[in-house]
């Protein structure tokens, strides 16, 4: 069953389709260029609608083929590391709108972890590891602190 949001239906993540968020990238650029309330409202809607990529460090990761093409199963005992960024003593979960944004940010060997918006906010708010998230830190970065993430999580619908 699909869930409803103010912006419409939140579909399940399709892992056979590359993660791309052209509307979010355009909304981020619009806010950077004009910073109007209308542009900020459009950005907020796109932030909630997007699926993100978190970059998992592959060193120390034992994988085997998953049930579906393009999926992998992480073996027990693997060490998972998720790319993060530090600024002024604060730690941020780094999220990307697409693979090109990851490649612009790092040359490290990484694997992608697809996260719908609600799951990304919940991950960043879990425990005290992260002070927030930053989307596309290499170009037109969008940092978001914990209070905003709490608001976004509260106003998002569960994924199907």
């Amino acid at each position: 069953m699909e869930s409803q949001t103010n912006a419409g239906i939140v579909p399940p993540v399709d892992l056979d389709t590359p993660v791309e968020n052209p509307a979010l990238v355009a909304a981020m650029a619009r806010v950077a260029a004009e910073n109007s309330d209308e542009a900020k409202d459009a950005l907020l809607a796109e932030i909630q609608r997007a699926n993100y990529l978190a970059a998992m460090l592959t060193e120390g990761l034992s994988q085997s083929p998953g049930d579906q093409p393009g999926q992998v199963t992480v073996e027990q005992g693997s060490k998972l590391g998720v790319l993060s960024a530090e600024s002024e003593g604060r730690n941020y979960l780094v999220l990307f709108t697409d693979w090109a944004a990851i490649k612009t940010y790092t040359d490290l060997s990484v694997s992608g972890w697809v996260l719908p918006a609600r799951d990304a906010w919940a991950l960043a708010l879990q425990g005290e590891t992260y002070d927030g998230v930053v989307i596309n830190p290499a170009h037109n970065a969008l940092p978001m602190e914990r209070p905003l993430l709490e608001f976004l999580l509260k106003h998002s619908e569960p994924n199907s």
Side-chain angles (χ1 to χ4, degrees):
M1 174 172 243
E2 295 178 331
S3 57
Q4 296 285 328
T5 67
N6 293 340
I9 295 174
V10 178
V13 176
D14 178 2
L15 296 177
D16 292 327
T17 303
V19 172
E20 296 177 331
N21 292 287
L24 174 56
V25 172
M28 291 168 64
R30 181 177 173 201
V31 167
E34 69 183 59
N35 202 27
S36 68
D37 288 342
E38 183 180 290
K40 289 176 186 175
D41 289 345
L43 176 60
L44 185 60
E46 292 303 327
I47 285 171
Q48 289 289 67
R49 201 175 287 142
N51 288 319
Y52 298 93
L53 287 170
M56 292 188 337
L57 303 171
T58 56
E59 186 175 317
L61 190 65
S62 297
Q63 307 177 72
S64 61
D67 296 335
Q68 301 290 323
Q71 290 182 338
V72 295
T73 299
V74 176
E75 301 296 330
Q76 186 172 359
S78 291
K79 294 184 181 186
L80 284 174
V82 177
L83 200 58
S84 62
E86 189 174 311
S87 176
E88 299 177 7
R90 300 176 67 81
N91 190 35
Y92 295 88
L93 173 63
V94 179
L95 299 174
F96 300 94
T97 55
D98 50 55
W99 277 101
I102 290 176
K103 291 177 183 173
T104 300
Y105 184 70
T106 186
D107 291 330
L108 295 173
S109 176
V110 297
S111 180
W113 180 9
V114 180
L115 295 165
R118 179 179 178 80
D119 294 349
W121 315 149
L123 175 65
L125 291 168
Q126 184 178 345
E128 299 297 321
T129 303
Y130 301 111
D131 296 300
V133 303
V134 60
I135 300 171
N136 289 356
H139 176 71
N140 210 8
L142 179 60
M144 299 187 298
E145 302 291 330
R146 287 182 77 93
L148 177 55
L149 298 179
E150 290 166 355
F151 172 84
L152 293 171
L153 183 61
K154 181 179 178 182
H155 291 91
S156 64
E157 292 293 325
N159 302 313
S160 332

